[in-house]
Amino acid sequence: MRRSAVIALSAGALLSVSALSAPAQAATTAPAAAAAAPTVSAKGAFVLNNASSATVYSKAADTRRQMASTTKIMTAAVVLSTKGVDLNRKVTVKQAYRDYVAKEGASTADLRTGDKLTVRQLLYGTMLPSGCDAAYALADTYGTGSTNAARTKSFIAKMNAKAKELKLTNTKFDSFDGISGGGNNYTTPRDLAKIAQYAMKNANFRAVVKATSYKAAAPAANGGTRTYTWYNTNQLLGSYSGAIGIKTGTGTAAGPCLVFAATRGSKTLVGVVLSGTDRYKDAAKMLDHGFGASTAKTMKLRTLPSNAQRD
């Protein structure tokens, strides 16, 4: 069940290697067995080493599936890769963005018509509460055309162009937020991990997806200042030691999804769960497998406030 994002209105000011092989052991000494790969609930899953791109874990890694709101990773990546992007550019919220989430029953940043938010704030609104209204605002701003529909279609074309640039042959977007009318919004665990790996190269993206919460103060339509408070729907953050992102997604066709990343020591792993009944435990078990750890069994999920979005 989705709930409204938290908003406060005020008239105040803005918030601011490996070693050489050892000699052979005696014939009676058996080599150490590699840790068995964990069993996960996900229908599709994949983990890669961020530095080397080596596969750490794989399950139906090349089977196409819908991805729900993990789509928004590419939405953010396209915005951030725009030449000369100005993260302080102000965007006026249109009633169309609110009407869209109301019609779709979608997750929302609860943007208010006439408020002016920066692109940076809209990125947080897109990625933390999984705001489809914020994603719409970004697509409408960075697409081209004379109408909202033309601009969002143009933006989705940019998402597909980026997927082609990344040589992802099993990924297609027909949506800027994961709400797919025709079902042509799909990827694979391997492709989605590569999208996330690409996005995580951007420092601004990393800053957004690792935040558990964010406050955004914006000029309100009535001349005052409105403060938006958003909580990250990704409960792996603050629950699994070293977690640094990335994005949840849930849909009728897609099921519960999660794109995640964690760093321990000098190693960073990036992974994907598609259609998993226990996505956070799946992620923790795969990360443990990659890190040679055993913390998944005792992991306790960070609790979201009652008024936070769920995705």
Side-chain angles (χ1 to χ4, degrees), residues 195-207:
I195 293 171
Q197 183 184 30
Y198 168 77
M200 290 291 278
K201 292 178 181 179
N202 186 285
N204 288 302
F205 182 88
R206 294 196 302 272

Side-chain angles (χ1 to χ4, degrees), residues 44-222:
F46 190 76
V47 177
L48 57 77
N49 182 304
N50 188 57
S52 67
S53 297
T55 298
V56 174
Y57 183 92
S58 179
K59 177 181 178 180
D62 300 306
T63 299
R64 295 176 178 179
R65 299 185 185 280
Q66 290 202 42
M67 60 185 123
S69 283
T70 62
T71 296
K72 292 167 182 156
I73 296 170
M74 184 62 98
T75 304
V78 167
V79 170
L80 288 168
S81 65
T82 299
K83 186 176 180 179
V85 63
D86 179 4
L87 298 185
N88 295 316
R89 174 182 178 181
K90 285 186 168 58
V91 176
T92 302
V93 177
K94 298 179 181 179
Q95 182 63 36
Y97 308 157
R98 291 184 59 84
D99 292 344
Y100 172 75
V101 294
K103 176 185 176 184
E104 299 292 343
S107 49
T108 177
D110 205 8
L111 303 182
R112 301 300 177 89
T113 304
D115 286 4
K116 298 180 186 298
L117 285 83
T118 66
V119 171
R120 187 189 307 276
Q121 291 169 336
L122 289 172
L123 286 167
Y124 278 95
T126 297
M127 301 301 288
L128 270 63
S130 200
C132 294
D133 45 358
Y136 190 169
L138 290 172
D140 190 31
T141 299
Y142 286 93
T144 57
S146 58
T147 65
N148 290 356
R151 287 188 292 272
T152 54
K153 182 178 180 180
S154 164
F155 186 84
I156 293 166
K158 292 182 180 183
M159 295 169 70
N160 283 309
K162 181 61 68 175
K164 184 176 181 180
E165 177 187 320
L166 295 175
K167 297 180 172 57
L168 307 179
T169 58
N170 288 310
T171 295
K172 183 177 180 180
F173 298 100
D174 70 358
S175 163
F176 54 77
D177 59 2
I179 299 175
S180 174
N184 275 324
N185 199 82
Y186 58 79
T187 190
T188 65
R190 189 190 308 273
D191 276 11
L192 190 49
K194 290 179 180 179
I195 293 171
Q197 183 184 30
Y198 168 77
M200 290 291 278
K201 292 178 181 179
N202 186 285
N204 288 302
F205 182 88
R206 294 196 302 272
V208 170
V209 299
K210 75 177 183 180
T212 55
S213 65
Y214 182 78
K215 287 189 176 183
N222 66 358

Side-chain angles (χ1 to χ4, degrees), residues 235-236 238-241 264 278 280-282 284-285 288 293-302:
Q235 292 176 267
L236 199 67
S239 305
Y240 187 88
S241 177
R264 288 189 179 181
D278 197 352
Y280 296 113
K281 183 60 69 69
D282 284 353
K285 288 195 292 187
D288 272 0
S294 57
T295 53
K297 292 181 181 179
T298 57
M299 181 181 74
K300 293 183 179 180
L301 289 180
R302 171 177 58 91

